[in-house]
């Protein structure tokens, strides 16, 4: 009696997304197996515990071998050892460079050095993220920073070109690199209510308007460094609060434009001079490195907290700042 056995041989590298996520999250093989068992996979597939253990170990070995290629994503695309469809390659890269917001908030603005890396044990305990995952995320931040710090051109474009990240993730990494380069303080208690998304939004606007690249597209490190001449020019704003007549005129222009449009108009009118002094003082001190680092702390203390105490809605804050800026430009002829 003869029996037939069909055999299929292929060389496509199989990627289990769930196991990949467990590996990225820093779980050991044993912990990953336990979590897979808890998910009900044995009942769903009819596999034995031994097969599940072997399957998990096999995937982990594959991910470890792929990791050196993930450190330089274009190599993953051009290598011939692992046959991985382009869509899977993109998934591997995107998820490898993804990060936890709780983690990035702990290191945002800090120097990406060995000193900060020593704090990862404490960050892991505080956030509940495994130490292995913390190390991967930190090393990714540092790797991207090292690759793009000396490059000309758009920071986002450079990151996308060399790490093949999606536009959104590349923009997030640009914010991380920008904050690390300029060492902005983000860890103070009064800044804890701000999310990474809040800081990333600010970083994008600052890169577009405050950096060397905003003035000269041929300047080295164009999106990394703040334009010193621009910061020096901000010192001229001091006249807005030093000259009483100009201060009164500025207030009059803003109040005339916003009358009937602000829900907190009375509060704004009464507190205009203090708010203006706060904004101008923050701007005129940015020629000093320490004051650059404390930019967000100073803005919260001198502008955000006074507005919050008077219960300003966000829409009124936006209206005020837009009109405040527009009125400054209209005062050029009086200065």
């Amino acid at each position: 009696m003869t029996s037939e056995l069909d055999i299929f041989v292929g060389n496509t590298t199989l990627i289990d997304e769930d196991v990949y996520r467990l590996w990225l999250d820093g779980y050991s093989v044993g912990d990953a197996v336990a979590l897979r068992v808890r998910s009900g996979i044995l009942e769903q597939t009819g596999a034995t515990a031994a097969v599940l253990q072997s399957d998990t170990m096999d995937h982990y070995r594959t991910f470890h071998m792929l990791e050196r290629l993930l450190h330089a994503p274009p190599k993953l695309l051009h290598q011939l050892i692992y046959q991985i469809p382009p869509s899977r390659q993109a998934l591997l890269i995107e998820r490898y460079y993804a990060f936890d917001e709780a983690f990035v908030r702990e290191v945002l603005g800090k120097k990406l050095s060995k000193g900060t890396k020593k704090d990862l044990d404490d960050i892991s305990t505080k956030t509940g993220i495994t130490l292995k995952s913390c190390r991967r995320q930190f090393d990714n931040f540092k790797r991207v920073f090292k690759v793009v710090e000396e490059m000309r051109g758009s920071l986002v474009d450079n990151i996308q070109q060399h790490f093949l990240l999606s536009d959104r993730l590349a923009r997030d990494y640009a914010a991380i690199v920008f904050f690390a380069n300029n060492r902005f303080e983000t860890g103070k208690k009064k800044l804890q209510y701000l999310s990474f998304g809040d800081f990333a939004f600010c970083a994008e606007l600052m890169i577009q308007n405050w950096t060397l690249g905003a003035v000269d597209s041929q300047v080295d490190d164009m999106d990394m460094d703040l334009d010193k001449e621009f910061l020096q020019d901000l010192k001229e704003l001091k006249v807005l609060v030093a000259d009483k007549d100009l201060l009164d005129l500025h207030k009059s222009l803003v109040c005339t434009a916003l009358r009937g449009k602000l829900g907190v108009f009375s509060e704004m009118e009464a507190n205009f001079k203090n708010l203006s002094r706060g904004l101008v003082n923050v701007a005129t001190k940015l020629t000093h490195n320490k004051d650059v680092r404390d930019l967000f702390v100073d803005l919260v203390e001198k502008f955000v907290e006074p507005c919050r105490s008077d219960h300003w809605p966000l829409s009124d804050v936006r209206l005020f700042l837009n009109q405040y800026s527009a009125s400054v430009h209209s005062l050029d002829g009086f200065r």
Side-chain angles (χ1 to χ4, degrees), residues 88-266:
R88 284 296 192 189
Q89 292 177 340
L91 179 144
L92 288 170
I93 295 166
E94 191 78 1
R95 291 193 180 174
Y96 188 79
Y97 283 91
F99 53 83
D100 295 290
E101 175 154 336
F103 175 76
V104 74
R105 275 298 280 115
E106 293 296 321
V107 300
L108 188 66
K110 294 183 178 179
K111 190 174 182 180
L112 300 175
S113 63
K114 290 181 179 178
T116 303
K117 195 168 186 177
K118 290 179 181 177
D119 298 332
L120 295 186
D121 281 314
D122 294 334
I123 293 174
S124 174
T125 301
K126 180 179 178 180
T127 61
I129 300 167
T130 65
L131 180 58
K132 189 173 182 180
S133 181
C134 287
R135 286 173 176 162
R136 173 182 61 81
Q137 294 178 59
F138 180 85
D139 288 343
N140 284 346
F141 297 162
K142 186 175 181 179
R143 184 180 309 111
V144 173
F145 182 94
K146 289 294 184 185
V147 168
V148 302
E149 66 175 329
E150 301 294 340
M151 289 184 177
R152 292 185 177 185
S154 163
L155 190 52
V156 174
D157 290 347
N158 287 336
I159 291 171
Q160 283 188 298
Q161 180 183 348
H162 289 82
F163 292 93
L164 310 181
L165 305 183
S166 66
D167 181 72
R168 182 63 269 162
L169 190 55
R171 290 181 184 280
D172 285 343
Y173 266 87
I176 293 166
V177 168
F178 180 71
F179 267 66
N181 185 62
N182 292 286
R183 305 285 300 281
F184 293 114
E185 173 61 59
T186 67
K188 292 288 179 66
K189 186 176 180 180
K190 63 180 58 188
L191 299 179
Q192 289 306 302
Y193 75 96
L194 294 168
S195 68
F196 168 72
D198 295 327
F199 285 116
F201 176 77
C202 294
E204 190 164 346
L205 290 177
M206 293 170 75
I207 288 171
Q208 291 172 1
N209 297 284
W210 288 24
T211 62
L212 290 168
V215 178
D216 185 351
S217 61
Q218 298 303 311
V219 176
D220 289 338
D221 308 328
M222 56 173 286
D223 281 353
M224 297 274 282
D225 298 323
L226 297 173
D227 179 14
K228 300 297 185 184
E229 287 189 22
F230 166 72
L231 298 181
Q232 189 67 35
D233 289 344
L234 290 178
K235 297 187 77 170
E236 296 180 10
L237 294 176
K238 190 174 291 186
V239 69
L240 291 175
V241 294
D243 185 319
K244 184 179 181 304
D245 291 337
L246 206 56
L247 177 58
D248 289 339
L249 179 57
H250 189 197
K251 177 181 177 180
S252 175
L253 289 171
V254 174
C255 290
T256 299
L258 295 180
R259 193 178 303 277
K261 297 179 181 178
L262 285 189
V264 291
F265 181 83
S266 298

Side-chain angles (χ1 to χ4, degrees), residues 262 264 303 307-308 312-323:
L262 285 189
V264 291
F303 182 76
C307 290
R308 187 185 292 162
W312 285 44
L314 181 58
S315 57
D316 280 4
V317 173
R318 286 173 173 160
L319 275 174
F320 172 77
L321 289 174
N322 286 337
Q323 188 56 51

